[in-house]
Amino acid sequence: MTNLPDFHIVIPARYASQRFPKKLLQDLGGKPVLQWVFELAKKAGAKSVTVATDHKLIYDAAASFGADVLMTREDHENGTERLAEVALAKGWSDDEIVVNVQGDEPFLPIGLVHNAVAALAGDTVSEMATVACKIDQVDELFNPNIVKVVLSDKNRALYFSRSPMPWDRERFDSARTSIALSDDYVAYRHVGLYVYRVGLLARYAGMAVSPLEKWEKLEQLRFLHHDVNIQVAIAESLPPHGVDTIEDLETLRHLIASR
């Protein structure tokens, strides 16, 4: 994509993971999962790519394949806090753009990153951007593990929820088994890619956790609670699944082997 502004990529890389410990160091086609992510990020045309970790093993691994790696605090609750520490350490100005690329998504499409950066750059009111794609299956709409987002006419997020949104009262009050999504019904699922202006990251630590965030278990609701505008880029389809479990890793190993 041409005419993109300068942007940085930070890859938060935690060592511990409740569902799959050490997953970023697991072998995938002859190199660690994290190296796949780093090499993908390097192709995105970012001004800089930084791996931010809290563990020496990941630090050493990242350094071994040539990454710019920064050791960050161990007590961060999420990747956003880790990004904020990196931005401060790097001395980036408030108006610079930084992309959070998860360390467990080795096949994240570069175009998705570009679209999110372009969405934020094109909206002077919003301080962050994310990605969504259209829901066309009823099962997705009613699945609480799939996060939904409702948009304004300017494609800014109005709300994120695990519940089905928007609620089509005329159709959905009947039994779910009889529900069919109509042609005029539009719902979006949230894709967890975030782009921030650095000035927002600097304020994040001072934002109190909102009740909405605690109830829904969705970090992005903290921003909406504090009146932060979130621009949403629309993707044509979901990105490939990341590495959350050993089963995910085996699936990707088979995919690489089949190529």
Side-chain angles (χ1 to χ4, degrees), residues 49-65:
V49 177
T50 306
V51 174
T53 189
D54 59 355
H55 199 280
K56 188 176 186 302
L57 285 179
I58 289 186
Y59 185 100
D60 291 344
S64 73
F65 55 74

PDB file of all heavy atoms in Angstrom, residues 49-65:
ATOM      1  N   VAL A  49      11.182  -2.200  13.827  1.00  0.00           N
ATOM      2  CA  VAL A  49      10.512  -3.385  14.358  1.00  0.00           C
ATOM      3  C   VAL A  49      11.236  -3.780  15.639  1.00  0.00           C
ATOM      4  O   VAL A  49      12.452  -4.016  15.623  1.00  0.00           O
ATOM      5  CB  VAL A  49      10.530  -4.560  13.365  1.00  0.00           C
ATOM      6  CG1 VAL A  49       9.876  -5.791  13.990  1.00  0.00           C
ATOM      7  CG2 VAL A  49       9.840  -4.186  12.058  1.00  0.00           C
ATOM      8  N   THR A  50      10.512  -3.837  16.740  1.00  0.00           N
ATOM      9  CA  THR A  50      11.113  -4.138  18.035  1.00  0.00           C
ATOM     10  C   THR A  50      10.402  -5.308  18.693  1.00  0.00           C
ATOM     11  O   THR A  50       9.169  -5.326  18.763  1.00  0.00           O
ATOM     12  CB  THR A  50      11.013  -2.922  18.986  1.00  0.00           C
ATOM     13  OG1 THR A  50      11.587  -1.769  18.355  1.00  0.00           O
ATOM     14  CG2 THR A  50      11.730  -3.189  20.301  1.00  0.00           C
ATOM     15  N   VAL A  51      11.160  -6.269  19.164  1.00  0.00           N
ATOM     16  CA  VAL A  51      10.612  -7.343  19.998  1.00  0.00           C
ATOM     17  C   VAL A  51      10.726  -6.898  21.452  1.00  0.00           C
ATOM     18  O   VAL A  51      11.806  -6.493  21.900  1.00  0.00           O
ATOM     19  CB  VAL A  51      11.374  -8.665  19.789  1.00  0.00           C
ATOM     20  CG1 VAL A  51      10.886  -9.726  20.772  1.00  0.00           C
ATOM     21  CG2 VAL A  51      11.212  -9.153  18.351  1.00  0.00           C
ATOM     22  N   ALA A  52       9.612  -6.949  22.173  1.00  0.00           N
ATOM     23  CA  ALA A  52       9.591  -6.524  23.579  1.00  0.00           C
ATOM     24  C   ALA A  52       9.252  -7.728  24.440  1.00  0.00           C
ATOM     25  O   ALA A  52       8.150  -8.284  24.334  1.00  0.00           O
ATOM     26  CB  ALA A  52       8.556  -5.414  23.777  1.00  0.00           C
ATOM     27  N   THR A  53      10.183  -8.143  25.278  1.00  0.00           N
ATOM     28  CA  THR A  53       9.983  -9.358  26.058  1.00  0.00           C
ATOM     29  C   THR A  53      10.244  -9.137  27.536  1.00  0.00           C
ATOM     30  O   THR A  53      10.720  -8.067  27.953  1.00  0.00           O
ATOM     31  CB  THR A  53      10.888 -10.489  25.519  1.00  0.00           C
ATOM     32  OG1 THR A  53      10.532 -11.716  26.162  1.00  0.00           O
ATOM     33  CG2 THR A  53      12.360 -10.182  25.783  1.00  0.00           C
ATOM     34  N   ASP A  54       9.920 -10.172  28.316  1.00  0.00           N
ATOM     35  CA  ASP A  54      10.137 -10.112  29.758  1.00  0.00           C
ATOM     36  C   ASP A  54      11.003 -11.274  30.233  1.00  0.00           C
ATOM     37  O   ASP A  54      11.061 -11.568  31.421  1.00  0.00           O
ATOM     38  CB  ASP A  54       8.797 -10.134  30.503  1.00  0.00           C
ATOM     39  CG  ASP A  54       7.977 -11.390  30.190  1.00  0.00           C
ATOM     40  OD1 ASP A  54       8.417 -12.186  29.333  1.00  0.00           O
ATOM     41  OD2 ASP A  54       6.893 -11.565  30.792  1.00  0.00           O
ATOM     42  N   HIS A  55      11.664 -11.960  29.289  1.00  0.00           N
ATOM     43  CA  HIS A  55      12.399 -13.169  29.672  1.00  0.00           C
ATOM     44  C   HIS A  55      13.684 -13.297  28.858  1.00  0.00           C
ATOM     45  O   HIS A  55      13.700 -13.053  27.653  1.00  0.00           O
ATOM     46  CB  HIS A  55      11.515 -14.402  29.450  1.00  0.00           C
ATOM     47  CG  HIS A  55      11.969 -15.602  30.199  1.00  0.00           C
ATOM     48  ND1 HIS A  55      13.006 -16.397  29.767  1.00  0.00           N
ATOM     49  CD2 HIS A  55      11.520 -16.175  31.355  1.00  0.00           C
ATOM     50  CE1 HIS A  55      13.175 -17.397  30.618  1.00  0.00           C
ATOM     51  NE2 HIS A  55      12.294 -17.281  31.587  1.00  0.00           N
ATOM     52  N   LYS A  56      14.747 -13.718  29.535  1.00  0.00           N
ATOM     53  CA  LYS A  56      16.061 -13.795  28.888  1.00  0.00           C
ATOM     54  C   LYS A  56      16.095 -14.801  27.737  1.00  0.00           C
ATOM     55  O   LYS A  56      16.778 -14.588  26.733  1.00  0.00           O
ATOM     56  CB  LYS A  56      17.130 -14.157  29.922  1.00  0.00           C
ATOM     57  CG  LYS A  56      18.561 -14.073  29.364  1.00  0.00           C
ATOM     58  CD  LYS A  56      19.586 -14.349  30.424  1.00  0.00           C
ATOM     59  CE  LYS A  56      21.014 -14.117  29.895  1.00  0.00           C
ATOM     60  NZ  LYS A  56      21.335 -14.942  28.718  1.00  0.00           N
ATOM     61  N   LEU A  57      15.378 -15.917  27.856  1.00  0.00           N
ATOM     62  CA  LEU A  57      15.401 -16.908  26.780  1.00  0.00           C
ATOM     63  C   LEU A  57      14.837 -16.335  25.480  1.00  0.00           C
ATOM     64  O   LEU A  57      15.368 -16.583  24.399  1.00  0.00           O
ATOM     65  CB  LEU A  57      14.620 -18.162  27.193  1.00  0.00           C
ATOM     66  CG  LEU A  57      15.309 -19.095  28.187  1.00  0.00           C
ATOM     67  CD1 LEU A  57      14.404 -20.277  28.534  1.00  0.00           C
ATOM     68  CD2 LEU A  57      16.638 -19.600  27.629  1.00  0.00           C
ATOM     69  N   ILE A  58      13.762 -15.575  25.594  1.00  0.00           N
ATOM     70  CA  ILE A  58      13.200 -14.946  24.402  1.00  0.00           C
ATOM     71  C   ILE A  58      14.121 -13.830  23.911  1.00  0.00           C
ATOM     72  O   ILE A  58      14.324 -13.656  22.700  1.00  0.00           O
ATOM     73  CB  ILE A  58      11.778 -14.419  24.664  1.00  0.00           C
ATOM     74  CG1 ILE A  58      10.812 -15.591  24.809  1.00  0.00           C
ATOM     75  CG2 ILE A  58      11.319 -13.482  23.548  1.00  0.00           C
ATOM     76  CD1 ILE A  58       9.366 -15.212  24.938  1.00  0.00           C
ATOM     77  N   TYR A  59      14.679 -13.075  24.845  1.00  0.00           N
ATOM     78  CA  TYR A  59      15.636 -12.024  24.472  1.00  0.00           C
ATOM     79  C   TYR A  59      16.786 -12.617  23.658  1.00  0.00           C
ATOM     80  O   TYR A  59      17.134 -12.114  22.582  1.00  0.00           O
ATOM     81  CB  TYR A  59      16.173 -11.339  25.726  1.00  0.00           C
ATOM     82  CG  TYR A  59      17.082 -10.156  25.447  1.00  0.00           C
ATOM     83  CD1 TYR A  59      16.597  -8.863  25.529  1.00  0.00           C
ATOM     84  CD2 TYR A  59      18.415 -10.350  25.090  1.00  0.00           C
ATOM     85  CE1 TYR A  59      17.427  -7.778  25.270  1.00  0.00           C
ATOM     86  CE2 TYR A  59      19.249  -9.279  24.817  1.00  0.00           C
ATOM     87  CZ  TYR A  59      18.748  -7.989  24.909  1.00  0.00           C
ATOM     88  OH  TYR A  59      19.567  -6.922  24.630  1.00  0.00           O
ATOM     89  N   ASP A  60      17.378 -13.705  24.163  1.00  0.00           N
ATOM     90  CA  ASP A  60      18.514 -14.315  23.486  1.00  0.00           C
ATOM     91  C   ASP A  60      18.116 -14.884  22.124  1.00  0.00           C
ATOM     92  O   ASP A  60      18.866 -14.779  21.150  1.00  0.00           O
ATOM     93  CB  ASP A  60      19.108 -15.422  24.355  1.00  0.00           C
ATOM     94  CG  ASP A  60      19.798 -14.877  25.604  1.00  0.00           C
ATOM     95  OD1 ASP A  60      20.072 -13.656  25.645  1.00  0.00           O
ATOM     96  OD2 ASP A  60      20.049 -15.671  26.537  1.00  0.00           O
ATOM     97  N   ALA A  61      16.934 -15.495  22.066  1.00  0.00           N
ATOM     98  CA  ALA A  61      16.476 -16.057  20.794  1.00  0.00           C
ATOM     99  C   ALA A  61      16.272 -14.956  19.761  1.00  0.00           C
ATOM    100  O   ALA A  61      16.693 -15.082  18.604  1.00  0.00           O
ATOM    101  CB  ALA A  61      15.180 -16.844  21.000  1.00  0.00           C
ATOM    102  N   ALA A  62      15.624 -13.869  20.169  1.00  0.00           N
ATOM    103  CA  ALA A  62      15.373 -12.757  19.250  1.00  0.00           C
ATOM    104  C   ALA A  62      16.681 -12.132  18.778  1.00  0.00           C
ATOM    105  O   ALA A  62      16.847 -11.812  17.591  1.00  0.00           O
ATOM    106  CB  ALA A  62      14.482 -11.721  19.914  1.00  0.00           C
ATOM    107  N   ALA A  63      17.615 -11.964  19.691  1.00  0.00           N
ATOM    108  CA  ALA A  63      18.913 -11.395  19.325  1.00  0.00           C
ATOM    109  C   ALA A  63      19.654 -12.304  18.351  1.00  0.00           C
ATOM    110  O   ALA A  63      20.351 -11.838  17.453  1.00  0.00           O
ATOM    111  CB  ALA A  63      19.744 -11.160  20.574  1.00  0.00           C
ATOM    112  N   SER A  64      19.468 -13.616  18.494  1.00  0.00           N
ATOM    113  CA  SER A  64      20.191 -14.569  17.644  1.00  0.00           C
ATOM    114  C   SER A  64      19.752 -14.494  16.189  1.00  0.00           C
ATOM    115  O   SER A  64      20.538 -14.818  15.289  1.00  0.00           O
ATOM    116  CB  SER A  64      19.998 -15.997  18.166  1.00  0.00           C
ATOM    117  OG  SER A  64      18.684 -16.473  17.910  1.00  0.00           O
ATOM    118  N   PHE A  65      18.498 -14.095  15.932  1.00  0.00           N
ATOM    119  CA  PHE A  65      18.081 -13.950  14.534  1.00  0.00           C
ATOM    120  C   PHE A  65      18.018 -12.486  14.091  1.00  0.00           C
ATOM    121  O   PHE A  65      17.386 -12.130  13.112  1.00  0.00           O
ATOM    122  CB  PHE A  65      16.777 -14.701  14.220  1.00  0.00           C
ATOM    123  CG  PHE A  65      15.578 -14.382  15.067  1.00  0.00           C
ATOM    124  CD1 PHE A  65      14.890 -13.192  14.920  1.00  0.00           C
ATOM    125  CD2 PHE A  65      15.116 -15.311  15.987  1.00  0.00           C
ATOM    126  CE1 PHE A  65      13.760 -12.917  15.680  1.00  0.00           C
ATOM    127  CE2 PHE A  65      13.982 -15.050  16.763  1.00  0.00           C
ATOM    128  CZ  PHE A  65      13.306 -13.846  16.598  1.00  0.00           C
TER     129      PHE A  65
END
